[in-house]
Amino acid sequence: MARSKIRCIGILTAGGDCPGLNAVIRAVVKSANFSGMDVVGIQDGFRGLVEKNMKVLAPEDVSNILTLGGTILGSSNKDNPFHMPVTVRGKARFRDCASEIPQSLRRLGIQALVILGGNGSMTVAHRLARMGVKIVGVPKTIDNDLEGTDQTFGYDTAVSVASEAIDRLHTVAASHHRVMVVEVMGRNAGWLALGAGMASGGDIILLPELPYDEWKVAETIHDRRKRGKKSSIVVIAEGAHPKGGGVVLDRPNPRSKGRIRLGGVGRELAHHLETKSGIETRSVVLGHIVRGGTPTAFDRKLATLFGVHALELVKDGRFGRMVSLKNQAMDSVPLETAAGKTRIVPKDHEWVLAAKRIGVDFGV
């Protein structure tokens, strides 16, 4: 295959932060340097692309960032160039800034983009690709909910952090004979709750994909008490909801069209369970803590592989694609495979079935 004549690429991190972003940036910059390419780091996600806020990244700029959480480029989960929030006369408005991007990139000498993001970011990337921008996507999210890849970097770290926190809560629950309800992120997909719940010995795991029955959850807790289990751990995804009910909202997000901020389902469930069961129940929200800190060794390796493979796609001129992990090997899929889609937990997934076989209850 003939190699493309790309000499300058841009790289940006969009959406929520995630352990392993810096490892990808490092891999792209270092492999590009060995290939004689320049890399321009675009600040603060798509807003930096619109506002031309960027800087050249040399190998020394990415030295010693492999183990750092977050992103040295900054990010934003509110700035969609097709619906960019702006302030006009003190009021929030939205403007389509995407049409300016292709010409702006040409003027800056940036011939291709590597975009790190989740399904929302891949949706934007796909739309920009259809406008003629040469793009390679890299999948990232702690939720592990992107179609087209078996796993995203950031997920392993989030599961590890959540599992350690739940490990600590086991001793608290046991000491006071309490039920502890632990809320983790997961808007539409329960991979994080499922992975952390299994790894930490959660007794009840509640997922967005499996609407739960509060009375069934309370009954499971009582059954455990009858068997001498005086404490219970309930792991619940923020997007989980009871049968016939809706998700619990923290508040709307006015700077992002159609977006809502979830939160509070753990607190609400704890209140209802204590009322129904008569057992002291407390809730804990792990929230953003699972997004931060040092990525695990697995995520560092996966992120590095993704970054190197992304650069290979650029060199091969294979644009409009997202790198992926398939059957433990590097692969790629069209951007449209992941754009706007959510990889949810199947009801018959082997993790769900295995958890049920060791006595984990899903409230159904």
Side-chain angles (χ1 to χ4, degrees):
M1 180 182 294
R3 293 270 167 147
S4 65
K5 296 181 180 179
I6 300 295
R7 289 291 173 262
C8 181
I9 63 173
I11 184 170
L12 66 84
T13 53
D17 63 306
C18 176
L21 285 167
N22 285 324
V24 178
I25 297 168
R26 172 180 177 269
V28 169
V29 172
K30 283 181 170 287
S31 54
N33 179 255
F34 281 118
S35 301
M37 292 185 191
D38 293 326
V39 179
V40 175
I42 299 165
Q43 306 278 0
D44 303 329
F46 291 114
R47 179 163 291 276
L49 188 60
V50 170
E51 297 179 349
K52 305 178 186 62
N53 182 11
M54 48 193 74
K55 63 178 180 180
V56 175
L57 294 176
E60 54 267 27
D61 295 317
V62 297
S63 181
N64 298 320
I65 69 170
L66 177 67
T67 62
L68 296 181
T71 165
I72 63 169
L73 294 176
S75 189
S76 171
N77 58 1
K78 303 179 183 66
D79 297 320
N80 178 343
F82 292 92
H83 196 75
M84 183 70 73
V86 295
T87 302
V88 179
R89 297 188 183 92
K91 295 184 178 181
R93 295 285 186 270
F94 294 92
R95 187 166 71 91
D96 185 349
C97 303
S99 60
E100 308 163 8
I101 290 175
Q103 185 175 3
S104 177
L105 289 173
R106 285 194 292 271
R107 288 175 178 170
L108 293 166
I110 298 174
Q111 299 165 282
L113 290 178
V114 175
I115 295 177
L116 286 58
N119 48 32
S121 302
M122 291 303 113
T123 300
V124 173
H126 178 52
R127 293 183 67 180
L128 289 174
R130 293 176 64 181
M131 293 169 59
V133 181
K134 295 177 178 178
I135 291 176
V136 170
V138 180
K140 68 93 193 140
T141 169
I142 65 168
D143 293 322
N144 201 38
D145 63 351
L146 253 71
E147 286 285 358
T149 184
D150 291 344
Q151 188 161 333
T152 57
F153 69 87
Y155 174 68
D156 186 73
T157 302
V159 167
S160 297
V161 174
S163 297
E164 182 179 352
I166 297 169
D167 289 346
R168 295 174 183 273
L169 292 171
H170 269 287
T171 62
V172 176
S175 297
H176 296 275
H177 310 319
R178 288 175 180 158
V179 176
M180 299 295 295
V181 179
V182 187
E183 180 183 325
V184 298
M185 289 184 170
R187 175 182 294 263
N188 298 309
W191 294 105
L192 179 54
L194 180 58
M198 290 184 68
S200 63
D203 305 302
I204 299 166
I205 301 174
L206 304 178
L207 311 176
E209 296 87 345
L210 298 169
Y212 58 88
D213 183 328
E214 287 184 352
W215 285 106
K216 177 66 168 60
V217 175
E219 181 183 338
T220 298
I221 293 169
H222 271 299
D223 287 345
R224 286 177 50 77
R225 288 236 158 183
K226 291 175 184 177
R227 301 197 309 270
K229 303 291 186 180
K230 295 182 179 179
S231 63
S232 295
I233 298 290
V234 181
V235 182
I236 184 169
E238 64 181 355
H241 54 90
K243 293 178 181 177
V247 295
V248 177
L249 305 183
D250 179 9
R251 62 182 184 273
N253 187 345
R255 286 180 60 82
S256 187
K257 182 182 179 182
R259 291 292 297 274
I260 54 176
R261 186 170 296 172
L262 301 185
V265 66
R267 180 180 64 252
E268 184 173 288
L269 177 64
H271 172 70
H272 292 174
L273 287 179
E274 186 166 303
T275 301
K276 287 179 170 67
S277 69
I279 301 170
E280 184 179 5
T281 305
R282 300 291 180 86
S283 65
V284 175
V285 180
L286 296 186
H288 289 80
I289 193 170
V290 303
R291 303 183 80 101
T294 301
T296 60
F298 179 90
D299 275 341
R300 296 179 212 176
K301 291 186 291 183
L302 181 59
T304 299
L305 288 169
F306 276 171
V308 170
H309 193 59
L311 204 280
E312 288 301 305
L313 291 179
V314 170
K315 289 159 64 176
D316 290 338
R318 300 181 66 198
F319 299 108
R321 302 188 69 81
M322 181 186 80
V323 298
S324 66
L325 178 69
K326 287 289 186 181
N327 299 318
Q328 300 184 353
M330 286 296 100
D331 202 342
S332 68
V333 297
L335 283 171
E336 61 186 326
T337 300
K341 302 180 181 72
T342 301
R343 176 174 169 264
I344 63 173
V345 178
K347 296 178 181 180
D348 60 350
H349 191 274
E350 61 180 346
W351 293 5
V352 174
L353 298 179
K356 287 181 177 179
R357 287 168 184 151
I358 60 173
V360 176
D361 184 69
F362 287 84
V364 295

